[in-house]
């Protein structure tokens, strides 16, 4: 195919979104950290899915206009660092196709080149061996081929092949990948997009499949799932719930529910199954599932209304009395939400570890705050980037304090001075967030090596400032061990925030043990309610 | 010859020996536990008060002295033609100053100068000491007033409470109400601004709060280089903390002298047990 027409490009993008969505769990599993919040695949899939949604009502056949709509959509839907980079990729791509009705090989090469350049500009310190490198190599190859071929398909195929080769080389470029024995997840996501797009171009249908998680260590922990899927919203109730029972048969459940809707995800084991489905008949689905066991955690959202709410830009209701300065925080658990609210945060966006909020969700949260200036506390390294995007999308004065953990967020909030200006507060909060050390305790989703540390699958692992420092068999031992490394002569307060599956009275006993181990510190225990992490701890 | 006397109220938390040394008279506020009424430092002493606060189920309140209470004290110490410098609790927190002004208008033969310290606890106490010291040095009335007013103006006040509940319950929480209701165990560090309780900072844990107070004093001390500071440290059943910070202050700052004392019932009702306050001003 020599020229890519608007209808082709639409099909390519939709197929790319579907392809990546199908592959996202595999991409998630490529996380170099064996922690259970590997979400690069999910973030990229949700970002591109949000982007292609822009195509639903788009009445144009011009490639340039289509690309620009997708770029805009991806910016709003960007989740996590990889999602933000992907949105920049689309932004560059659309600039390359500006004014183009039907794209030739050289047009595609130029678009890929600008896409790659834009991704490099978007990150402060570009690292090779990542999605950036894969995109750059693909663009370079495309440029080379386009010199001798005007066929868009030929150029695309060459770019894809090069992207795959470069992806395979990423472990050679980055030691962490080599150690973990994986290729770069973001790079893989980009290859999936190029691959899916090629299938779309060739009119090969990318079938929607429930992407089976690489492993479901603890289904109750797994919050993520497909929540937004490309395409028209035929089935408009997003229905999610858990079935608790015995001898549950996942295959039978899948077969029974397939006719009821789409975007279906059925995961779990014989005793606990999580179901996600978009259906027009949530009642029927629940009726059937209820015959198999006990239903819990039922959530039904009307996606059509949500969609209209977003597209109509219904003005959000501002909260409370107007004030000069407000705060938005991203927080992973119900207990932590209460804590941040009690500290004066106006809007809490749930997310972080399992699900990074999109830029759009952060913009919506900022708009709800009844203040002209808003400080955002991302509380997760993977949310900082999307939070910074809000500056471009909101009319309000936005300050982002780059908090990488919940304890950093709390330490930052403590510094709020409602009478001071935005910039002054951001500066003070940045000082405050550095006065606390963060530890996290979770489990390994696969065997790996971290430095000298041999880690088995399902080992309990302890991280300090995001780095794995210890692994072991029990939460208690690992927590005490990382506290030993965190507590020094200056330490005066140890805070423990329990995860959603932690028994609080057991945690109280543990807190007593911590008090006895560190007699010079005050020890405080709070219900955090975060998923996946048994404890988040802080020392200050 | 006409003399100058110094009077304060029981909100000044001046220990008895200090009062006697400087010749300062005290007008007590009254403490009410239900129907039982006590005069601070007269019918009820500090230890007894905290014991009752801890074990009793009625929450106490305070009541300012009446103008008649002031008249009684003023008349007992001064003769016609004498001057009284009457140094009192922040008018934003109590009607005590108002009562002293009314009493003064009832005694035209005595020259009574009421001073609103816009402070509390040893903040009042330090101002009273400054006045009494000037009197001892036989300074003329105008100069005694000037010395006292300068001390009031330059007073530094930082205090931390165990809980904001007491301030809130008694309606003295002022601008610190924004700190209410936090789920975390936060030690609020407070100050007085224009006589009203105002948040200075929040700290997690006592150790950090004490450190922040030290840092605040260091900044103050830098702004007043070359001057020795007179400190008042008061505590509500927290003598250990008071002695700890006193030792640190002696080590770190140019100290003129330090007066340590318990927070009496008048202030204790409003701040609750565990409170620690550090007050200071540069001695000229």
């Amino acid at each position: 195919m020599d020229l890519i027409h608007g209808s082709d490009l639409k099909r390519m993008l939709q197929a790319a979104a579907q392809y990546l969505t199908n592959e996202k769990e595999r991409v998630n599993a490529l996380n170099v950290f064996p922690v259970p919040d590997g979400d690069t695949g999910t973030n990229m899939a949700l970002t591109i899915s949000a982007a292609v949604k822009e195509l639903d009502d788009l009445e144009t056949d011009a490639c340039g206009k289509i690309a620009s709509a997708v770029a805009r959509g991806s910016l709003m839907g960007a989740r996590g660092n990889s999602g933000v980079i992907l949105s920049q990729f689309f932004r560059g791509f659309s600039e390359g196709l500006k004014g183009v009705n039907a794209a030739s090989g050289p047009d595609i090469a130029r678009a890929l080149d600008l896409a790659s350049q834009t991704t490099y500009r978007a990150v402060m310190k570009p690292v090779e061996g990542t999605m950036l490198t894969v995109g750059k190599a693909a663009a370079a190859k495309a440029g080379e081929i386009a010199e001798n071929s005007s066929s868009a398909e030929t150029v695309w195929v060459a770019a894809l092949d090069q992207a795959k080769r470069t992806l395979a080389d990423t472990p050679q470029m980055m030691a962490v990948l080599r150690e973990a024995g994986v290729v770069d997840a973001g790079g893989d996501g980009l290859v999936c997009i190029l691959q899916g797009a090629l299938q779309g171009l060739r009119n090969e249908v990318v079938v929607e499949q429930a992407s089976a998680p690489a492993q479901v260590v603890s289904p109750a922990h797994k919050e993520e799932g497909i929540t937004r899927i490309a395409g028209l919203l035929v089935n408009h109730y997003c229905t999610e719930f858990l079935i608790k029972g015995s001898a549950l048969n996942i295959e039978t459940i899948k077969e029974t529910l397939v006719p009821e809707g789409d975007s279906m995800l059925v995961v779990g084991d014989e005793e606990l199954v999580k179901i996600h489905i978009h259906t027009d008949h949530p009642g029927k689905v629940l009726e059937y599932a209820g015959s198999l066991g006990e239903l819990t955690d039922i959530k039904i959202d009307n996606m059509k209304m949500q969609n209209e709410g977003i597209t109509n830009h219904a003005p959000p209701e501002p909260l409370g009395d107007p004030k000069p300065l407000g705060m938005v925080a991203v927080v992973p658990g119900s207990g932590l939400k209460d804590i941040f609210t009690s500290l004066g945060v106006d809007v809490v966006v749930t997310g972080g570890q399992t699900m990074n909020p999109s830029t759009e969700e952060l913009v919506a949260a900022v708009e709800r705050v009844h203040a002209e200036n808003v400080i955002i506390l991302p509380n997760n390294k993977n949310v900082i980037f999307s939070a910074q995007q809000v500056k471009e999308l909101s009319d309000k004065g936005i300050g982002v304090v780059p908090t990488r953990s919940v304890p950093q967020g709390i330490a930052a909030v403590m510094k709020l001075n409602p009478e001071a200006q935005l910039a002054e507060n951001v500066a003070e909060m940045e000082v405050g967030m550095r006065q606390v050390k963060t530890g996290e305790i979770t489990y390994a989703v696969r065997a790996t090596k971290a430095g000298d540390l041999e880690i088995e699958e399902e080992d309990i692992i302890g991280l300090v400032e995001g780095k794995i420092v210890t692994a072991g068999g029990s939460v208690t031992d690992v927590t005490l061990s990382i506290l030993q490394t965190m507590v020094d002569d200056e330490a005066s307060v140890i805070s423990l925030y329990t995860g959603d599956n932690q028994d609080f009275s057991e945690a109280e006993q543990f807190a007593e043990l911590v008090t006895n181990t560190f007699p010079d510190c005050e020890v405080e225990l709070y219900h955090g309610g975060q998923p996946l992490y048994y404890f988040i701890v802080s020392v200050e | 010859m006409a003399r100058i006397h110094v009077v304060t109220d029981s909100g000044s938390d001046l220990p008895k020996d200090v009062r006697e040394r400087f010749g300062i008279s005290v007008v007590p506020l009254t403490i009410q536990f239900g129907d039982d009424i006590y005069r601070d430092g007269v019918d009820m002493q500090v230890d007894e008060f905290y014991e009752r606060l801890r074990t009793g189920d009625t929450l106490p309140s305070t009541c300012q002295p009446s103008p008649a209470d002031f008249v009684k004290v003023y008349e007992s110490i001064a003769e016609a033609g004498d001057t009284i410098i009457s140094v009192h609790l922040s008018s934003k927190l109590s009607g005590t100053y108002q009562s002293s002004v009314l009493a003064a208008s009832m005694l035209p033969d005595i020259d009574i100068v009421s001073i609103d310290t816009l402070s509390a606890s040893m903040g009042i106490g330090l101002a009273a000491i400054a006045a009494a010291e000037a009197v001892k040095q036989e300074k003329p009335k105008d100069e005694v007033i000037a010395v006292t007013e300068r001390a009031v103006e330059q007073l530094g006040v930082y205090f931390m409470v165990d809980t904001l509940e007491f301030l809130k319950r008694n309606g003295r929480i002022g601008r610190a109400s924004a700190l209410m209701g936090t789920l975390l165990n936060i030690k609020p560090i407070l100050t007085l601004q224009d006589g009203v309780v105002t948040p200075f900072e929040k700290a997690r844990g006592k150790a950090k709060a004490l450190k922040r107070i030290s840092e605040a004093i260091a900044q103050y001390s830098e702004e007043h280089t070359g001057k020795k500071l007179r400190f008042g440290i008061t505590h509500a059943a927290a003598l250990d903390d008071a002695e700890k910070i006193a030792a640190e202050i002696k080590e770190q700052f140019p100290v003129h002298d330090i007066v340590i004392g318990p927070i009496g019932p008048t202030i204790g009702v409003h701040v609750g047990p565990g409170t620690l306050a550090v007050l200071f001003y540069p001695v000229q």
Side-chain angles (χ1 to χ4, degrees):
Chain A
M1 199 176 290
D2 286 350
L3 282 178
I4 292 176
H5 292 93
S7 56
D8 299 323
L9 186 60
K10 268 191 194 177
R11 218 169 48 244
M12 288 169 75
L13 289 160
Q14 278 161 343
Q18 188 59 62
Y19 193 94
L20 180 56
T21 302
N22 292 347
E23 295 287 320
K24 77 182 168 72
E25 289 296 349
R26 189 183 57 71
V27 176
N28 282 346
L30 296 174
N31 195 1
V32 290
F33 265 17
V35 294
D37 50 349
D39 42 18
T40 302
T42 305
N43 283 337
M44 291 180 76
L46 289 174
T47 302
I48 189 172
S49 299
V52 299
K53 216 182 254 170
E54 294 288 318
L55 300 176
D56 291 351
D57 302 320
L58 196 68
E59 307 260 335
T60 178
D61 257 337
C63 280
K65 286 186 181 151
I66 289 165
S68 129
V70 167
R72 202 172 48 244
S74 69
L75 191 62
M76 294 303 278
R79 270 173 215 267
N81 293 343
S82 53
V84 173
I85 294 175
L86 183 59
S87 73
Q88 299 302 308
F89 183 90
F90 283 128
R91 190 161 137 189
F93 190 79
S94 80
E95 273 168 36
L97 291 183
K98 205 178 235 168
V100 173
N101 273 322
S104 64
D107 289 333
I108 290 299
R110 188 178 61 246
L112 289 174
D113 185 43
L114 277 175
S116 163
Q117 285 183 34
T118 315
T119 58
Y120 271 87
R121 275 202 300 276
V123 288
M124 260 177 280
K125 285 185 207 147
V127 176
E128 296 304 339
T130 61
M131 190 197 323
L132 299 181
T133 318
V134 173
K136 185 170 70 178
K141 191 70 179 177
E144 197 185 300
I145 297 301
E147 280 178 22
N148 299 314
S149 168
S150 61
S151 157
E153 187 176 340
T154 309
V155 169
W156 198 276
V157 168
L160 171 62
D161 287 347
Q162 183 59 49
K164 283 179 181 166
R165 276 194 296 277
T166 307
L167 175 66
D169 287 343
T170 53
Q172 266 67 59
M173 298 179 221
M174 241 207 289
V176 281
L177 297 176
R178 198 159 55 237
E179 246 177 46
V182 294
V183 296
D184 179 65
D188 199 332
L190 186 58
V191 168
C192 289
I193 288 169
L194 296 174
Q195 176 75 52
L198 181 63
Q199 286 180 225
L201 179 61
R202 289 174 171 167
N203 257 319
E204 293 166 20
V205 179
V206 179
V207 185
E208 183 175 318
Q209 324 164 341
S211 156
Q215 55 208 147
V216 183
V217 177
S218 163
H221 277 170
K222 281 273 171 189
E223 276 294 312
E224 69 219 289
I226 310 168
T227 55
R228 299 267 152 71
I229 297 295
L232 291 165
L233 287 171
V234 185
N235 296 302
H236 68 255
Y237 293 101
C238 171
T239 308
E240 278 185 296
F241 54 92
L242 297 172
I243 311 175
K244 284 186 180 162
S246 55
L248 297 172
N249 185 331
I250 291 180
E251 289 311 314
T252 314
I253 297 173
K254 275 187 187 167
E255 277 166 32
T256 314
L257 290 182
V258 157
E260 298 302 334
D262 61 14
S263 304
M264 190 177 71
L265 182 66
V266 179
V267 294
D269 54 32
E270 288 184 349
E271 288 172 359
L272 185 65
V273 172
K274 175 163 184 158
I275 296 189
H276 170 284
I277 187 169
H278 294 174
T279 176
D280 271 339
H281 305 285
K284 262 171 91 177
V285 173
L286 291 176
E287 187 70 38
Y288 162 70
S291 70
L292 304 176
E294 295 290 325
L295 304 185
T296 64
D297 295 17
I298 301 168
K299 198 176 126 222
I300 301 172
D301 283 330
N302 185 330
M303 294 185 296
K304 194 157 163 246
M305 303 277 281
Q306 284 175 348
N307 212 27
E308 283 164 3
I310 291 162
T311 43
N312 291 344
H313 290 287
E317 191 107 335
L319 293 165
D321 296 331
K323 50 182 172 178
L325 187 62
M327 288 188 286
V328 167
V330 181
V331 162
S334 60
L336 293 169
K337 180 178 175 175
D338 293 344
I339 288 170
F340 274 82
T341 305
S342 83
L343 290 170
V345 169
D346 302 278
V347 179
V348 172
V349 178
T350 304
Q353 270 148 351
T354 45
M355 179 63 84
N356 298 142
S358 68
T359 303
E360 183 172 18
E361 282 167 351
L362 293 175
V363 170
V366 163
E367 295 309 322
R368 282 187 73 203
V369 178
H370 209 171
E372 278 313 303
N373 293 292
V374 179
I375 290 176
I376 308 177
L377 301 165
N379 298 338
N380 183 301
K381 67 176 194 308
N382 216 9
V383 180
I384 296 172
F385 215 174
S386 348
Q388 278 160 348
Q389 302 292 310
V390 177
K391 288 181 189 170
E392 288 180 29
L393 296 164
S394 173
D395 294 335
K396 294 186 176 183
I398 303 292
V400 177
V401 182
T403 52
R404 299 164 72 89
S405 67
V406 165
Q408 283 194 346
I410 290 173
V413 175
M414 303 279 287
K415 292 284 178 184
L416 176 80
N417 176 359
E419 324 231 309
Q421 298 293 313
L422 177 70
E424 195 183 320
N425 267 298
V426 169
E428 276 297 310
M429 286 179 163
E430 285 191 23
V431 172
M433 69 179 234
R434 292 197 198 94
Q435 292 167 351
V436 64
K437 290 183 212 167
T438 300
E440 291 155 314
I441 293 87
T442 184
Y443 58 92
V445 291
R446 61 177 160 74
T448 188
K449 255 178 82 172
D452 295 335
L453 220 54
E454 293 281 352
I455 296 164
E456 297 295 318
E457 186 177 326
E458 290 193 43
D459 268 1
I460 307 298
I461 49 180
L463 300 92
V464 176
E465 305 300 353
K467 291 196 174 60
I468 301 176
V469 295
T470 185
S474 92
V475 172
T476 312
D477 292 348
V478 168
T479 310
L480 276 181
S481 153
I482 67 165
L483 281 173
Q484 295 284 6
T485 69
M486 294 166 71
V487 174
D488 58 19
D489 292 347
E490 298 271 289
S492 59
V493 183
I494 298 173
S495 312
L496 310 167
Y497 305 93
T498 59
D500 61 352
N501 277 11
Q502 283 288 96
D503 182 295
F504 202 75
S505 59
E506 270 174 36
E508 278 174 335
Q509 286 173 22
F510 176 63
E512 220 162 278
L513 180 62
V514 175
T515 309
N516 295 335
T517 316
F518 304 100
D520 291 339
C521 290
E522 293 175 42
V523 176
E524 298 177 6
L525 175 72
Y526 300 100
H527 168 63
Q530 69 277 2
L532 307 173
Y533 286 73
Y534 303 107
F535 280 111
I536 296 175
V537 302
S538 74
V539 173
E540 44 203 305
Chain B
M1 196 191 110
R3 294 185 305 154
I4 308 179
H5 311 266
V6 179
V7 172
T8 185
D9 56 68
S10 62
S12 64
D13 290 335
L14 278 179
K16 191 158 176 258
D17 62 314
V18 177
R19 283 191 331 246
E20 283 171 355
R21 178 149 41 100
F22 286 98
I24 299 169
S25 308
V26 176
V27 179
L29 278 79
T30 52
I31 316 298
Q32 285 155 263
F33 279 91
D35 292 338
D36 304 338
I37 298 175
Y38 307 91
R39 283 170 299 172
D40 185 354
V42 181
D43 316 313
M44 178 169 266
Q45 304 303 326
V46 174
D47 295 343
E48 191 186 340
F49 167 73
Y50 286 111
E51 182 60 21
R52 179 126 184 211
L53 195 60
R54 198 170 59 79
T55 54
D57 46 9
T58 41
L59 295 167
S61 60
T62 55
C63 186
Q64 70 207 56
S66 67
D69 295 333
F70 271 102
V71 166
K72 219 181 292 167
V73 172
Y74 289 158
E75 280 186 323
S76 72
I77 57 168
E79 292 170 11
D82 282 1
T83 295
I84 293 175
I85 312 286
S86 206
V87 186
H88 298 293
L89 250 174
S90 168
S91 59
K92 306 280 177 61
L93 300 174
S94 165
T96 305
Y97 168 74
Q98 193 52 35
S99 283
S100 88
V101 171
L102 283 173
S105 71
M106 293 155 74
L107 298 170
D109 292 343
I110 307 172
D111 174 21
I112 298 169
V113 181
S114 293
I115 293 180
D116 178 1
T117 62
L118 291 174
S119 193
S121 187
M122 202 84 86
I124 312 162
L126 292 179
I129 290 174
E133 209 172 38
V135 171
K136 277 209 158 154
Q137 292 161 355
E138 298 185 347
K139 296 210 164 131
K141 175 192 145 190
D142 289 350
E143 215 170 301
V144 174
I145 295 172
V147 164
T148 315
E149 283 181 341
R150 195 158 55 225
V152 165
E153 231 164 77
Q154 300 192 318
L155 263 180
V157 183
Y158 294 100
F159 62 111
M160 64 175 207
V161 295
D162 224 29
T163 161
L164 289 163
E165 274 305 316
F166 288 89
L167 282 168
K168 188 192 168 202
R169 201 157 56 204
N170 293 292
R172 279 1 183 247
I173 192 160
R175 303 184 187 104
S177 60
L179 302 182
M180 281 301 297
T182 58
L183 292 172
L184 298 180
N185 172 24
I186 285 172
K187 288 271 170 287
I189 306 169
L190 307 167
T191 183
L192 290 168
Q193 231 172 48
D194 304 323
V196 178
V197 175
T198 307
F200 169 66
E201 245 195 68
K202 297 158 267 195
R204 294 196 68 185
K206 201 164 29 177
K208 215 170 166 191
L210 289 174
K211 196 172 151 217
R212 283 302 294 140
I213 292 178
S214 282
E215 284 165 11
I217 301 170
Q219 199 185 341
Y220 181 95
S221 168
E222 235 166 69
E223 286 162 12
H224 296 84
T225 351
K227 301 261 172 63
K228 288 200 163 175
L229 303 183
R230 168 173 273 152
F231 285 91
I233 298 174
T234 54
H235 64 90
L239 182 60
D240 287 354
D241 292 337
E243 283 176 344
K244 201 167 141 196
I245 200 159
E248 263 177 51
I249 285 170
K250 262 181 213 155
E251 209 173 282
Q252 288 181 41
F253 307 112
V255 172
H256 184 280
D257 59 341
I258 300 182
V259 184
I260 301 182
I263 291 175
T266 298
I267 304 296
V269 165
H270 299 291
V271 292
T275 300
L276 179 73
V278 182
L279 309 103
F280 42 90
Y281 79 96
V283 178
Q284 297 303 313

